[in-house]
Amino acid sequence: MTGSRFARQMALPAIGREGQRRLGESSALIVGCGALGSHTAEALARAGIGRLILVDRDLVAETNLHRVALFTPPDLGRPKAEAAAEALHRLAPDVAIASHVAHLGPKLAEEVVPQVDVVLDGLDNLETRYLINDACVKHRVPWVYTAVLATHGMTMPIVPEQGPCLRCLFPDLPPPGTIPTCAEAGILGPVPAALAAWQATTAIQILVGSADLAPGRLVHLDLWAGRAETISVARAAGCPCCGERRFGFLP
Ligand SMILES: [Zn+2]
């Protein structure tokens, strides 16, 4: 790590030399390497995180190019996790990056979640988020829930035993087809970039051990309407996951 690369970041009292050292010794798992995941990965790689694990089973498609930070037309048809890892290596060669071209199922979640200090959300489906929530609460790893659709998105830090989990917020998985996807409702290019910036900032707070981190603070941003709202989510009494420690999405 060279001092000059991170000088502007270390000048922040909330980070400083000690925060930068902690970042360099930290690791993050990024599940999904679309717009949300790739912008988040880029922010953390540039911030000087030590190690990233990327998971995505999809290939780069032409419909991704209007919003995904790391991909260019020559990447079309390549696995997203591999193309993202290469691009990240070019911009931050000191970061150790592992990529898995795979769907995050229960077995892989049990393998990779305990290896990291924070898990970040680059997903487009709730079912895998419930799996991440189970694995993170079980292994006491913080994660950041983040979702985008159309012109808006929301994000919330989930810190096991310090605040609510995803199932305190959404107790049950909604029936398939009841939540619209970005393919159906569309997605404005800058929206995932904005939510990824928020998510990456939360991850940095978690990794440097900031007292400003607010577990359970849900932020909803609508970029088109120019509106931001903050809601405090409480732990739900009798939550099957963080209350009763029943992990139904794991094997
Ligand atoms: Zn809970």
Side-chain angles (χ1 to χ4, degrees):
M1 187 198 301
T2 58
S4 58
R5 177 162 186 157
F6 304 110
R8 300 294 182 273
Q9 188 164 278
M10 287 193 292
L12 295 165
I15 295 186
R17 196 165 286 277
E18 173 60 15
Q20 193 63 47
R21 186 191 64 75
R22 288 188 188 188
L23 274 176
E25 291 178 354
S26 298
S27 55
L29 165 66
I30 299 188
V31 187
C33 296
L36 196 53
S38 67
H39 278 284
T40 304
E42 179 173 342
L44 292 179
R46 287 189 188 276
I49 196 166
R51 193 163 64 88
L52 288 173
I53 301 177
L54 311 176
V55 177
D56 196 310
R57 67 173 163 186
D58 287 338
L59 307 178
V60 179
E62 200 158 7
T63 53
N64 302 139
L65 294 180
H66 89 295
R67 65 188 186 284
V68 184
L70 299 172
F71 304 150
T72 56
D75 294 317
L76 290 174
R78 300 185 61 206
K80 287 180 179 176
E82 287 180 13
E86 270 184 34
L88 291 166
H89 181 70
R90 279 195 298 274
L91 65 88
D94 291 341
V95 181
I97 302 170
S99 55
H100 295 262
V101 181
H103 169 66
L104 188 87
K107 190 165 171 281
L108 185 56
E110 284 274 23
E111 180 191 325
V112 290
V113 167
Q115 294 179 25
V116 297
D117 300 302
V118 67
V119 178
L120 287 315
D121 190 337
L123 287 160
D124 57 2
N125 74 86
L126 256 179
E127 191 162 356
T128 308
R129 291 189 176 105
Y130 278 64
L131 168 65
I132 290 173
N133 190 62
D134 269 7
C136 285
V137 171
K138 178 178 175 185
H139 296 287
R140 297 176 173 84
V141 175
W143 76 284
V144 188
Y145 159 65
T146 305
V148 293
L149 186 73
T151 63
H152 61 100
M154 56 186 167
T155 180
M156 181 176 89
I158 293 171
V159 184
E161 294 169 10
Q162 292 181 34
C165 78
L166 186 68
R167 294 193 73 183
C168 294
L169 180 63
F170 305 123
D172 295 304
L173 192 60
T178 53
I179 294 188
T181 65
C182 290
E184 294 155 3
I187 179 75
L188 188 70
V191 168
L195 270 297
W198 201 294
Q199 168 165 249
T201 302
T202 305
I204 290 170
Q205 288 183 327
I206 291 169
L207 296 175
V208 304
S210 171
D212 296 320
L213 175 71
R217 183 170 61 198
L218 177 77
V219 178
H220 179 265
L221 298 176
D222 189 322
L223 270 69
W224 198 260
R227 200 167 48 224
E229 294 154 313
T230 302
I231 304 158
S232 252
V233 178
R235 286 188 77 173
C239 171
C241 179
C242 73
E244 298 173 8
R245 295 189 70 77
R246 285 192 283 114
F247 306 115
F249 293 84
L250 290 172

